[in-house]
Amino acid sequence: MNTRVDYLNLFHLRPEEYVSITSMTKDECEDGGIDLDIYYNIFTTPVGEVLMASNHMGLVYMGFIDVKKVAVLNDLVQRFPNAHFDRAMDRFQKRALSIFQNEWSEKPDIILRVHGTAFQVNVWNELLRIPPGQCVSYGEIAQRIGAPGASRAVGTAIGANPIALLIPCHRVIRADGSVGNYHWGKEQKLALLKWEKENLGL
C-alpha cells in the first residue's frame, strides 16, 4: 500500500520507527579514527542550520551550528581527531535531511553509526522511544533502562550524544520541570521544544 506522509506527520512518529543505531567497530574509532574517512556538509533545516557527518556505514554526527560555525566543527573534529575529513554529501546525509521533505511515500530508514560505551548506546536507544511533544526526566530514563538511581550517569550519556534531533535528547528535562542543559546550547533546546509544540499541534 502506498501511503502519503508529510514531514510534519513524520515528526509525530517516535524516532525508533525510522532511526536505527549501530555501534562503530574498534577499527573505525581506534586512535581517534586514524583510518576513518568522514564526509560532512552543512544544511539549513526548519529547526536551524546543522552540520551532518557520515562514514561508509552511517551518520556519525549531527550538530546545530553556532553563528561562527566554529564550535560545532571543533566538536566533530574532537570526536575523531585523526580522521580524514572531506566536505561532501552522501546517501546517509541525504536520508537524514529528507525527513524535512514535504511528503513521504514510505517512512525513511536512517542509519546512525555511533561511537560510545554500551551504557551510552543503551541510553541513546531509549531516547528514540520518546514521542514528539513529550518530555521525560533523567530519572525516568534511568528507570526505563533498568538503572534506577543512575540519573547523573544518564545525564552524562545524554550530554555525550553525537546526533542532535534524530536522537532526541532535547526531550529530556530535569525532574523539577526545568529544561536543563543541552550539548548545543540551552537556547537551541528551548527552540526545538517550542518548534515541536507549535508545528506539531502537541
Side-chain angles (χ1 to χ4, degrees):
M1 181 175 65
N2 187 27
T3 58
R4 292 291 185 183
V5 183
D6 66 36
Y7 83 87
L8 289 181
N9 285 334
L10 176 67
F11 276 101
H12 279 84
L13 302 174
R14 292 188 304 274
E16 67 175 344
E17 298 182 61
Y18 58 93
V19 175
S20 59
I21 297 176
T22 61
S23 295
M24 286 186 173
T25 64
K26 183 180 179 181
D27 289 340
E28 285 177 90
C29 53
E30 194 170 34
D31 297 324
I34 195 167
D35 294 320
L36 195 63
D37 291 319
I38 293 180
Y39 309 98
Y40 73 95
N41 221 320
I42 294 171
F43 305 97
T44 299
T45 79
V47 291
E49 199 172 19
V50 298
L51 182 146
M52 294 187 197
S54 49
N55 69 356
H56 65 292
M57 297 293 288
L59 199 73
V60 302
Y61 183 87
M62 180 174 173
F64 287 99
I65 291 177
D66 63 314
V67 175
K68 296 181 180 180
K69 298 182 174 64
V70 174
V72 72
L73 286 168
N74 287 342
D75 187 25
L76 172 61
V77 172
Q78 286 172 9
R79 293 172 188 269
F80 306 100
N82 296 317
H84 179 260
F85 293 91
D86 282 319
R87 184 162 185 173
M89 180 192 287
D90 68 1
R91 67 187 187 278
F92 297 111
Q93 295 171 34
K94 288 179 181 178
R95 287 183 192 177
L97 188 65
S98 66
I99 64 173
F100 299 108
Q101 288 179 340
N102 290 330
E103 62 177 24
W104 276 95
S105 58
E106 59 183 16
K107 286 184 290 188
D109 179 19
I110 299 173
I111 301 172
L112 309 182
R113 191 75 171 172
V114 299
H115 173 40
T117 66
F119 181 83
Q120 288 174 329
V121 173
N122 194 18
V123 169
W124 299 338
N125 269 304
E126 189 57 44
L127 299 185
L128 297 183
R129 300 184 176 95
I130 305 173
Q134 292 189 18
C135 291
V136 301
S137 71
Y138 297 95
E140 287 177 84
I141 295 295
Q143 289 281 350
R144 292 181 184 185
I145 64 171
S151 298
R152 182 167 294 185
V154 164
T156 300
I158 289 173
N161 170 30
I163 312 282
L165 188 63
L166 296 173
I167 299 179
C169 52
H170 63 281
R171 295 175 188 158
V172 184
I173 62 175
R174 292 175 176 164
D176 63 5
S178 60
V179 172
N181 296 323
Y182 188 58
H183 184 77
W184 292 278
K186 186 176 181 179
E187 289 186 1
Q188 183 65 62
K189 184 174 185 176
L190 287 167
L192 284 173
L193 294 173
K194 181 180 179 182
W195 185 88
E196 289 187 350
K197 181 179 180 180
E198 292 179 349
N199 290 276
L200 304 183
L202 299 168

